[in-house]
Amino acid sequence: MLPCRDELPLLSTYAAEHAAQGLSVLGFTLNTPDEMEQVRAVARTLSFPVGFLEHSSAPGYGRIWRIPVNFTIDRAGRWWTTGWKDRHPVWTRERLARVVTPLLEAK
C-alpha cells in the first residue's frame, strides 16, 4: 500500500483540526498529466490545496528524489525539518505530535 493513502487523510484531518492555530498544509504531486483526473479526485477529499510539480525539482527545496517527503516550516519561515534525514518520513499521529504540535504551541 502506498504511504500516501494513509498519510493524506491523516494530514487533512490534522490540518482542519489545527487551522485556527495557524497551520497551513500544502500538498504537491509528481504524477504525470494523464493521471491528473485521479489526482483531482483525491485532492477534492482533502482540507488543503494540492499543486502539480511538472519536474522533480522545486525552487528552494531542491530535487525531490524520494516520495513521500515533507518540509516543516515554522512561524518565522525557517525550515524546521526537511524529512530527508528521517528513515520513515511518513506523517503519523505520533510524528505530528512530536514535530508539528510543539511549533503550533510556540508563540
Side-chain angles (χ1 to χ4, degrees), residues 11-22:
L11 279 174
S12 184
T13 299
Y14 188 85
E17 290 171 351
H18 297 282
Q21 290 174 273

Side-chain angles (χ1 to χ4, degrees), residues 62-93:
R63 183 174 166 267
I64 308 300
W65 54 271
R66 180 181 73 193
I67 299 289
V69 67
N70 51 73
F71 304 96
T72 306
I73 302 168
D74 69 10
R75 292 182 190 277
R78 297 178 302 243
W79 276 17
W80 188 255
T81 180
T82 64
W84 290 124
K85 294 180 183 177
D86 290 337
R87 265 193 127 175
H88 303 286
V90 176
W91 287 114
T92 61
R93 187 130 320 255

Side-chain angles (χ1 to χ4, degrees), residues 32-51:
T32 58
D34 62 308
E35 299 170 310
M36 290 314 332
E37 195 50 48
Q38 182 181 359
V39 170
R40 284 186 186 102
V42 171
R44 283 191 290 270
T45 69
L46 304 173
S47 67
F48 56 87
V50 176

